[in-house]
Amino acid sequence: MDVEETTVNLVSKDGKTFSVPLKVAKMSELVKSMMDEDAEEDGTSMEIPLPNVKSEVLEKVIEFCQHHLEEPMTEIEKPLKSQVMGDVVQKWYADFVNLEQVLLFELILAANYMDIKPLLDLTCATTASMIKGKSPDEIRTTFNITNDFSPEEEAQVREENKWCEEA
């Protein structure tokens, strides 16, 4: 069987199986390391369990990998030059990460677990763009974080970290 036609079955946390081309599956360093080279050569289909990734998230991961193979993402400059992801990466990638926070954070976890560097870079840059240029109170609002410091504790932390705000 031709390597181009070989598929890999990725099995999500909730048991859903996704049959993907070998080259798409190999974008994940985790999947690549779990693959059986003999099965790859004789064309037998492999099944790779991904117990930390829900099917909804795995679907998005696969969508990203397929697109990345067709149109590689431009390198993300650090520090970010803009809060607008469309200024940082191509339109498709900017639209791809225009998601609810919960799904975005699950994608970060999946990209990290599956070891897919371009996806991890994109999702983390998106989160960084949500923080860039905001005050601590605005960040708390954006991410629904409750401030559990007393006014005295907060003043102490601000004093200890004054150097951060001067930069």
Side-chain angles (χ1 to χ4, degrees):
M1 186 182 234
D2 188 352
V3 174
E4 293 290 312
E5 298 171 20
T6 305
T7 59
V8 177
N9 292 322
L10 303 178
V11 183
S12 67
K13 176 182 191 170
D14 38 357
K16 191 169 179 188
T17 300
F18 296 86
S19 186
V20 298
L22 183 64
K23 61 184 179 179
V24 171
K26 281 188 162 185
M27 279 195 63
S28 164
E29 293 297 323
L30 173 73
V31 171
K32 193 190 300 186
S33 72
M34 293 172 74
M35 295 175 83
D36 181 352
E37 289 170 19
D38 296 333
E40 189 179 322
E41 288 168 12
D42 68 18
T44 28
S45 189
M46 293 162 273
E47 192 166 281
I48 308 287
L50 298 168
N52 294 359
V53 186
K54 293 184 209 168
S55 57
E56 175 190 12
V57 177
L58 186 53
E59 208 168 322
K60 293 293 285 180
V61 169
I62 293 166
E63 180 186 353
F64 173 89
C65 291
Q66 287 171 330
H67 188 83
H68 192 274
L69 286 172
E70 294 167 20
E71 179 196 6
M73 184 176 69
T74 55
E75 185 77 21
I76 296 174
E77 291 180 38
K78 297 168 192 92
L80 289 178
K81 62 182 178 183
S82 171
Q83 286 178 279
V84 180
M85 287 307 293
D87 296 341
V88 179
V89 291
Q90 298 99 309
K91 182 180 180 344
W92 187 92
Y93 292 101
D95 291 344
F96 178 80
V97 288
N98 187 10
L99 306 163
E100 290 181 24
Q101 278 185 18
V102 173
L103 184 54
L104 177 65
F105 296 152
E106 286 180 353
L107 262 178
I108 290 172
L109 294 173
N112 187 47
Y113 170 68
M114 294 178 69
D115 197 358
I116 305 172
K117 187 178 181 330
L119 179 56
L120 186 59
D121 287 349
L122 177 64
T123 51
C124 287
T126 302
T127 304
S129 74
M130 295 162 79
I131 295 170
K132 188 174 176 67
K134 292 188 176 174
S135 71
D137 288 331
E138 291 170 321
I139 294 168
R140 283 189 200 104
T141 302
T142 300
F143 295 106
N144 198 21
I145 300 169
T146 55
N147 183 2
D148 55 358
F149 286 125
S150 69
E152 296 80 22
E153 290 172 324
E154 189 167 348
Q156 181 184 349
V157 169
R158 286 185 191 274
E159 183 60 35
E160 290 170 359
N161 296 289
K162 199 185 315 185
W163 60 272
C164 292
E165 295 177 20
E166 293 168 2

